[in-house]
Amino acid sequence: MFELVSKGGRLKVASHGEDLDGLFSASLIALIHPEDLEIYFTAPYEIRESLESFDIVLDLPPPRGGTRILVDHHESNLALLNRVKTAFLRPEYPSTARLLYDILREWEPQVEDFSRTVDLVDQTDTGNLDLFSALFTAAIRKIFKRKRSDLVKVARDLLLHPPTTSDELINLPAVKREVDLIEREYGDRLRELLSLEGGEALLVRIESLPSYLVPVIQLAARRYRFFGTITTGSDGALRLSLRSREDSPLSALEVAERLGGGGHRNAAGALIMPSRMEDLLAIVGSRMEFELITV
Ligand SMILES: [Mn+2]
């Protein structure tokens, strides 16, 4: 691994462009191999069936086209290792950045300067978001959707101003402008959603707010035993993102699986046809009092 990254020459890397883990993993590669680096920011649903091949794939499923090295922590990708020459896939790791850090520091102690940023990545990648890290993730998703080549600037900022707290994340130069725009355009409506008093179950259908705001809207989930957001994709299908607390009679995973999705016990998701919206309401309604709101 280290020989490939440290020697000169072109290196083609794919990383996850929708969260801090993928971005900072790309930053760590750029630290060791600053020249001749081609970074593609992509998403699991884009790369899984891709015929392109890479030298290194980070925090993503390996593509059909294959990769020389995979560094990842998603258990679900264990089934795709036949596409990989050398795999570092450790589901027990809280983040891909942590795994990459552990691999690289044996050869290049310089990466240890970033240990506190890796701690921050661990927190955000295990679902421990606060308002600042949720706003950061929303801003990143907006950039990913609108002009993803700008994510290279964010990855570079993470090395130039290594954040150690979540408020430092939203003050990175390449991010601050987007966060300010989100605040100006949607701040009042987000505050309203985040001040809901809580209760049994809440489903939020997101129609007039952009879907990249989901990480912020989900901050309301801890006030409900069961919580879900429903957004409409460009293909018309509905994307459900579900959360449950330990005291919920219905787990997020149970509901997701009944609708053909999956995930973790208390954080799961599914992609459904609009006609199955009734099924979602029936499943939740059979076990809990719920409220459905549209924003
Ligand atoms: Mn990750």
Side-chain angles (χ1 to χ4, degrees):
M1 160 93 190
F2 190 73
E3 288 96 85
L4 175 69
V5 181
S6 60
K7 80 168 193 248
R10 229 151 119 104
L11 202 60
K12 188 175 168 190
V13 178
S15 191
H16 191 192
E18 298 173 307
D19 68 14
L20 178 63
D21 191 19
L23 288 178
F24 191 63
S25 296
S27 307
L28 288 176
I29 296 290
L31 178 71
I32 311 286
H33 191 105
E35 307 290 331
D36 271 337
L37 180 62
E38 269 177 82
I39 298 183
Y40 296 87
F41 286 107
T42 171
Y45 53 88
E46 285 180 359
I47 196 173
R48 193 177 286 112
E49 302 307 323
S50 164
L51 296 175
E52 241 183 283
S53 57
F54 294 89
D55 294 310
I56 304 178
V57 170
L58 303 167
D59 201 42
L60 287 168
R64 279 187 184 280
T67 179
R68 294 169 74 180
I69 291 174
L70 173 75
V71 185
D72 183 34
H73 69 138
H74 296 100
E75 189 160 10
S76 50
N77 293 334
L78 283 167
L80 302 174
L81 292 189
N82 58 338
R83 301 173 175 184
V84 181
K85 236 186 192 160
T86 307
F88 301 86
L89 199 161
R90 305 278 289 276
E92 72 276 19
Y93 266 72
S95 70
T96 293
R98 165 77 53 194
L99 175 54
L100 188 59
Y101 173 85
D102 281 352
I103 296 166
L104 294 177
R105 73 201 257 200
E106 286 194 29
W107 308 92
E108 182 49 75
Q110 184 198 355
V111 304
E112 292 186 356
D113 295 348
F114 296 88
S115 74
R116 293 183 60 209
T117 301
V118 179
D119 292 340
L120 181 64
V121 177
D122 285 349
Q123 276 173 41
T124 63
D125 220 50
T126 48
N128 261 327
L129 296 191
D130 58 17
L131 180 60
F132 296 137
S133 44
L135 280 168
F136 172 84
T137 309
I140 290 306
R141 290 190 181 185
K142 181 179 173 191
I143 299 170
F144 182 77
K145 267 196 183 147
R146 303 279 169 84
K147 195 176 173 216
R148 69 173 72 175
S149 56
D150 281 0
L151 291 175
V152 173
K153 294 181 201 158
V154 181
R156 196 180 50 209
D157 277 357
L158 289 167
L159 295 179
L160 292 175
H161 319 271
T164 59
T165 58
S166 57
D167 63 305
E168 288 168 356
L169 278 176
I170 59 171
N171 282 307
L172 294 171
V175 177
K176 191 172 187 328
R177 203 186 81 94
E178 291 301 341
V179 170
D180 289 346
L181 277 173
I182 289 173
E183 163 64 29
R184 208 174 316 149
E185 266 183 278
Y186 304 111
D188 289 340
R189 297 182 64 195
L190 289 171
R191 265 185 293 280
E192 206 178 300
L193 278 168
L194 296 183
S195 61
L196 289 169
E197 82 265 42
E200 275 277 288
L202 180 70
L203 297 172
V204 184
R205 184 149 189 171
I206 299 170
E207 276 176 1
S208 64
L209 289 174
S211 60
Y212 59 72
L213 293 177
V214 165
V216 182
I217 295 169
Q218 261 168 353
L219 292 173
R222 53 195 74 159
R223 300 219 184 90
Y224 294 85
R225 295 163 115 184
F226 188 93
F227 184 91
T229 54
I230 303 135
T231 51
T232 310
S234 48
D235 55 356
L238 301 181
R239 188 177 295 272
L240 310 182
S241 178
L242 308 170
R243 296 287 182 273
S244 53
R245 286 197 323 223
E246 277 307 319
D247 61 355
S248 172
L250 204 54
S251 76
L253 183 60
E254 220 176 318
V255 177
E257 281 181 340
R258 285 180 65 183
L259 294 164
H264 309 284
R265 185 183 143 76
N266 290 320
L271 208 56
I272 62 170
M273 295 311 292
S275 57
R276 297 209 68 195
M277 189 65 194
E278 291 305 316
D279 296 333
L280 168 68
L281 302 184
I283 294 166
V284 179
S286 69
R287 304 268 286 280
M288 306 181 80
E289 291 278 327
F290 74 92
E291 209 187 325
L292 170 66
I293 62 172
T294 299
V295 297

